[in-house]
Amino acid sequence: MSTTYRTPWLHLSPGEEGPQLVCVPYSAKGASQFSGWPELLEHRTALAAVQLPAREERLTEQPIARIDELLAGLVPALLPWIDRSFVLFGHCMGALIAAELATALRRDHDLEPAALVLSGAIPAWQDTSRFDLSDLTDAELIRNLRGSGALQPRMLAEPALLTFMLPATRADSALCDDIRGRGRPDSPALSCPLVLCAGRDDSRFEPKSMLGWQALTTGKADLRIFDGDHTFLDAGPAAVAAVVREVLTA
């Protein structure tokens, strides 16, 4: 793919020949979450970090609360970049999006990732939780986010950033609910292998429950368990990146 390709949907980093890597961040995060990954991956792979509307340099854009609308923008932006084997990675909300993205690429474009790496999320159809934020005031939502550790120090220091971020947070919650509402697939849509990453002490679910993602594919599912809770990706990105590097070189 030409290094001159530009799209607001992707932050692109060049790499050596080999599988390409597409990374999807979790709720309230932007593409900069993966800014250190080219170095962690030893610059051996081309990386596309997804940048959703309403965060970072797209902060003033309207957030997206429906998966079909998101895919309608992301898939056409991604297709020109994919010119060889590729791997998809997503954490938490990013895992839900990555699973839907893989399915859409296979269904609509006959493209399938060499592997799908899903982190920090049980299958959408197994998750009965709902995060309706519509009844929370901005102040209540900020307290909620502060308590969960989702707010960066810069955001707490700059109220204007918080004002812009809150609509995206509310939309992300609705987006996850929209994906959960799709239900369990009737049959596997994919044939690629799965690598499933879970935090040993994640209070949201038991790591083994991630094996339910097997319903997505006829390929093998490999569960990897990391030290830490649901924030294990932030606490130890190098450990997760090492697993992704292993997948890329397999």
Side-chain angles (χ1 to χ4, degrees), residues 183-208:
R184 189 180 189 275
D186 294 329
S187 59
L190 306 170
S191 60
C192 65
L194 293 174
V195 177
L196 307 170
C197 302
R200 190 183 314 277
D201 301 316
D202 196 322
S203 61
R204 301 187 183 188
F205 56 83
E206 289 291 327
K208 287 185 178 180

Side-chain angles (χ1 to χ4, degrees), residues 2-88:
S2 170
T3 56
T4 62
Y5 179 62
R6 296 289 184 273
T7 170
W9 285 92
L10 304 171
H11 283 195
L12 302 175
S13 300
E16 299 174 8
E17 288 299 318
Q20 297 167 301
L21 176 64
V22 181
C23 294
V24 189
Y26 59 79
S27 180
K29 287 281 191 174
S32 65
Q33 180 182 13
F34 300 102
S35 61
W37 276 49
E39 183 174 353
L40 292 175
L41 297 171
E42 300 175 351
H43 302 280
R44 292 183 179 179
T45 186
L47 187 151
V50 172
Q51 185 70 295
L52 299 177
R55 54 217 80 198
E56 297 179 353
E57 75 275 3
R58 303 186 72 183
L59 196 60
T60 58
E61 297 182 34
Q62 286 295 313
I64 295 176
R66 295 291 180 266
I67 187 60
D68 285 339
E69 181 183 350
L70 189 154
L71 293 175
L74 176 57
V75 170
L78 187 59
L79 287 175
W81 186 75
I82 298 174
D83 59 2
R84 59 183 187 266
S85 176
F86 65 98
V87 170
L88 296 182

Side-chain angles (χ1 to χ4, degrees), residues 134-177:
S134 59
D135 292 334
L136 296 182
T137 66
D138 284 355
E140 289 170 336
L141 179 54
I142 290 171
R143 284 197 295 272
N144 183 292
L145 294 171
R146 189 196 301 267
S148 68
L151 296 180
Q152 300 169 5
R154 182 188 173 203
M155 293 175 178
L156 293 172
E158 299 184 37
L161 284 178
L162 279 176
T163 300
F164 278 113
M165 192 195 77
L166 294 182
T169 302
R170 296 182 190 277
D172 287 350
S173 175
L175 175 67
C176 290
D177 283 347

Side-chain angles (χ1 to χ4, degrees), residues 95-114:
L96 303 187
I97 294 173
E100 293 293 326
L101 175 60
T103 301
L105 288 170
R106 174 64 183 268
R107 180 189 64 235
D108 300 332
H109 302 281
D110 199 27
L111 291 172
E112 185 170 3

